[in-house]
Amino acid sequence: MALFLSSDPSLPPFSSLAYLYFTILISSFLIASDFTRFSRSKRKMADQQIKFKKIAMIGCGSMGGGMALLFAENGLEVSLSDPSEQNMDKVVDKAKKDGFGERIKKFKDYKSLCASLSSPKLLVFSLPHGNVGDKVLEGLAPYLTSNDIILDCGNEHWANTERRQAKCKDTGIHYLGVGVSGGYQAARAGPSMCPGGDREALSTIMPLLEQVAAKDKDGKPCVGIVGKGGAGHYVKMIHNGIEHGMMSAISEAWGILRAMGMNYEEIGEIFGRWNESGELRGTFLISIGADLSHKRDDSGNLVLPTIADKVVQDITGEEGTGIWSNTEAIDKHIPAPTLNVSHAFRIASAYLGDREHAQKTIGGASFIQGLNVIDAANKANEWEIDYAAVLQIWKAGCIIEADYISSEILAPTLTDKNKTVDNVNLLFNQKTMQDVRKCFISLRKVVAKSVETDQIVPALSATLEYFKIVTGTNLPTSFYEAELDYFGQHMFDKKGEEGIGGPTEGKHHFEWKPAKGVHVKL
């Protein structure tokens, strides 16, 4: 273990997070390797000439807009398409400001958009995941011909990518799934890219991707052909699962430092030192954590203390990769507890109002969690579940039979039919939470002693953390949310605002680090 302890005795030993990162990476790679193998082929940009001089960007939000500017800055003519005129105007105006406005034009229909491109056509998608891509592909179909190439650069599910590849196969159109990472600043300056699909088509566009991709310290482009089919989007999905595990661990360390009495900027200085040397050297999430800890608004006040402790991206639908990476781990029978717990942490943090409600009633975790899942499904499917019947079914003859829980906890709550959420959710029930309060200190001692003596207690420790999270009103996810807004422009709510109790998208964005190009010309 000494290998993973901080080499600087003046710092808290949280650089043991490096060990956690290693665990996350190994378990996540096992998931991905069940699906595909990484390509080890290397290319030199000088060996191939960039074939495409014109490109279409479909979807001009923060990522698509940034990539459109990146392509234009690198000498390509870029044709824009987006249902939002405002999004396209922002890209055009920024291109003019940066000195290459003549290379970007906007189009209102797919016919004129495709007519603006040379043959074979190259089109880039930066779209929300789901059926949006299907609708766009259907709209483009009459204007596409054999050997045209589509680069899907959104966070799309790999199965959707493979389905579209199969649909395009007979037409000769090449549909390639390209995972793009680094956030909106990297989209503008040069992102990491993870392409997968038909190798012949990929070899055609690789010189261009190598030109615009991020470069490592040796100047090598951070892009490579991952594999066939939906491998590119699959590996990017697992990348995001790893990201969520890392962000959770970092936020937890930040929360511990806050509990030790350190102020925001003191923690930022520690993060800065961690990023400069030791096992966490050069860690992106540590570096931006150091940076955002010192950022102030126009009034001179620190921004971080104003951010509410809720992460909502998984629930609002803008982010699916965290859900999919956990589903894949379970489906492939790969243990990935750090990914699982990190995802649950995000989900629980989103329900700020519920946490505040439960905190007032706290002083059988499995029953609470299971009933909450049933309640959510009941509402979604309009099943009109009779909870009194459920209770009767669980009283005897079943594996989860538990007399005290049934009679003392569930019976007073689930005696009537079709209860409201406040009654079904046992976290809001006084009797339930009185029992939890009585057992909480003992559970905490058991888990602490188990950790000290190296016992294996995943369910007990998860139960302890569950109650701490769902009744907590000052989670370290405020730091998590700040990091998401820093690199992903995901928005945040501010502490104390009205109407922020539910899992809804935030209303605020702070420009922690403006997106800038690298001014590389072909």
Side-chain angles (χ1 to χ4, degrees):
M1 287 301 294
L3 175 63
F4 303 108
L5 296 178
S6 174
S7 55
D8 184 347
S10 68
L11 299 182
F14 296 121
S15 56
S16 58
L17 291 173
Y19 177 71
L20 176 58
Y21 294 168
F22 178 75
T23 304
I24 298 169
L25 287 166
I26 290 297
S27 62
S28 301
F29 179 75
L30 287 172
I31 305 167
S33 64
D34 192 89
F35 181 85
T36 186
R37 293 182 179 180
F38 285 98
S39 169
R40 295 188 179 182
S41 60
K42 297 181 180 180
R43 293 172 176 78
K44 294 182 180 179
M45 285 184 287
D47 292 340
Q48 299 188 52
Q49 182 179 3
I50 293 177
K51 182 176 182 179
F52 298 95
K53 301 298 181 184
K54 296 182 178 182
I55 192 170
M57 177 59 66
I58 301 177
C60 301
S62 59
M63 291 295 291
M67 292 181 69
L69 293 168
L70 175 66
F71 285 124
E73 187 176 44
N74 278 271
L76 277 72
E77 295 181 26
V78 182
S79 301
L80 304 179
S81 175
D82 193 290
S84 169
E85 189 88 10
Q86 184 181 18
N87 282 352
M88 291 192 290
D89 286 340
K90 286 181 180 178
V91 177
V92 171
D93 292 344
K94 188 67 169 64
K96 290 178 180 177
K97 183 178 178 181
D98 289 348
F100 45 84
E102 73 283 356
R103 297 186 199 141
I104 292 187
K105 296 180 181 178
K106 59 182 183 178
F107 294 84
K108 295 185 177 181
D109 61 84
Y110 292 146
K111 182 177 181 179
S112 59
L113 175 80
C114 291
S116 71
L117 305 174
S118 53
S119 185
K121 294 180 281 293
L122 179 61
L123 305 95
V124 179
F125 287 5
S126 184
L127 303 170
H129 64 83
N131 62 4
V132 176
D134 294 306
K135 292 179 180 178
V136 172
L137 182 59
E138 182 180 356
L140 287 168
Y143 314 109
L144 300 179
T145 57
S146 181
N147 291 322
D148 287 347
I149 297 176
I150 295 173
L151 305 181
D152 187 339
C153 293
N155 274 333
E156 186 55 272
H157 193 283
W158 62 272
N160 287 338
T161 301
E162 293 202 332
R163 178 172 50 77
R164 292 171 194 156
Q165 288 172 339
K167 186 176 182 179
C168 291
K169 186 174 181 180
D170 292 339
T171 67
I173 297 166
H174 302 287
Y175 193 99
L176 308 175
V178 184
V180 176
S181 183
Y184 73 104
Q185 293 109 335
R188 175 66 187 91
S192 166
M193 297 191 210
C194 191
D198 178 75
R199 288 184 177 275
E200 183 178 352
L202 283 168
S203 65
T204 302
I205 56 95
M206 278 302 293
L208 173 59
L209 299 186
E210 289 171 342
Q211 174 69 32
V212 301
K215 307 299 186 296
D216 66 15
K217 293 180 179 179
D218 297 323
K220 295 180 181 178
C222 297
V223 61
I225 297 176
V226 173
K228 298 185 291 185
H233 276 147
Y234 193 96
V235 174
K236 176 54 168 56
M237 170 188 70
I238 299 301
H239 162 283
N240 284 18
I242 296 169
E243 169 193 310
H244 295 174
M246 292 177 68
M247 292 186 73
S248 181
I250 291 171
S251 297
E252 291 165 29
W254 178 85
I256 293 171
L257 293 172
R258 286 285 297 143
M260 291 170 60
M262 297 184 185
N263 65 40
Y264 294 94
E265 294 196 276
E266 286 174 333
I267 298 173
E269 291 169 2
I270 289 175
F271 272 45
R273 296 202 293 274
W274 282 350
N275 190 58
E276 290 171 2
S277 62
E279 296 86 349
L280 297 179
R281 175 176 54 84
T283 301
F284 173 74
L285 291 170
I286 294 291
S287 69
I288 69 171
D291 189 28
L292 65 84
S293 296
H294 302 287
K295 295 295 184 181
R296 296 178 180 270
D297 59 24
D298 292 339
S299 300
N301 299 314
L302 288 171
V303 178
L304 183 54
T306 70
I307 297 176
D309 58 333
K310 48 183 286 193
V311 178
V312 303
Q313 285 73 32
D314 304 287
I315 299 172
T316 57
E318 58 188 289
E319 175 63 274
T321 51
I323 299 169
W324 306 332
S325 56
N326 278 278
T327 302
E328 282 296 308
I330 295 169
D331 183 62
K332 297 293 187 295
H333 311 297
I334 300 296
T338 304
L339 274 64
N340 303 154
V341 171
S342 298
H343 183 66
F345 189 25
R346 287 163 58 103
I347 294 293
S349 78
Y351 294 93
L352 175 59
D354 285 358
R355 290 190 281 114
E356 291 174 339
H357 189 166
Q359 204 278 333
K360 296 175 183 177
T361 58
I362 192 174
S366 292
F367 279 91
I368 292 174
Q369 295 170 39
L371 282 168
N372 285 348
V373 174
I374 291 175
D375 184 62
N378 184 39
K379 289 180 171 61
N381 297 293
E382 299 181 352
W383 286 333
E384 299 183 359
I385 286 177
D386 184 338
Y387 289 101
V390 173
L391 172 60
Q392 183 60 35
I393 292 166
W394 287 354
K395 279 185 175 179
C398 69
I399 304 302
I400 62 172
E401 177 184 341
D403 289 348
Y404 177 82
I405 292 175
S406 293
S407 61
E408 299 297 327
I409 297 178
L410 299 183
T413 302
L414 305 179
T415 52
D416 295 328
K417 192 175 181 179
N418 302 324
K419 284 288 185 177
T420 64
V421 65
D422 281 0
N423 286 327
V424 172
N425 191 339
L426 297 178
L427 290 171
F428 304 156
N429 181 270
Q430 289 284 351
K431 170 60 177 167
T432 303
M433 299 314 284
Q434 284 173 6
D435 276 36
V436 170
R437 187 188 300 114
K438 286 191 297 185
C439 300
F440 192 82
I441 295 176
S442 296
L443 177 60
R444 189 168 60 193
K445 289 180 179 178
V446 168
V447 172
K449 195 65 177 179
S450 297
V451 172
E452 181 183 340
T453 57
D454 204 23
Q455 304 304 308
I456 299 170
V457 290
L460 288 175
S461 59
T463 299
L464 176 64
E465 293 304 316
Y466 171 74
F467 281 117
K468 286 161 61 179
I469 293 168
V470 297
T471 62
T473 57
N474 188 25
L475 303 181
T477 41
S478 54
F479 184 82
Y480 199 132
E481 185 79 334
E483 289 213 318
L484 284 167
D485 189 59
Y486 187 110
F487 67 78
Q489 202 171 352
H490 284 293
M491 316 293 283
F492 58 85
D493 283 321
K494 290 186 177 181
K495 293 177 180 178
E497 290 182 316
E498 294 291 330
I500 66 169
T504 53
E505 185 177 359
K507 300 177 287 295
H508 307 281
H509 167 67
F510 184 78
E511 196 68 0
W512 310 88
K513 179 182 178 182
K516 297 179 181 179
V518 293
H519 305 294
V520 176
K521 303 292 190 295
L522 290 175

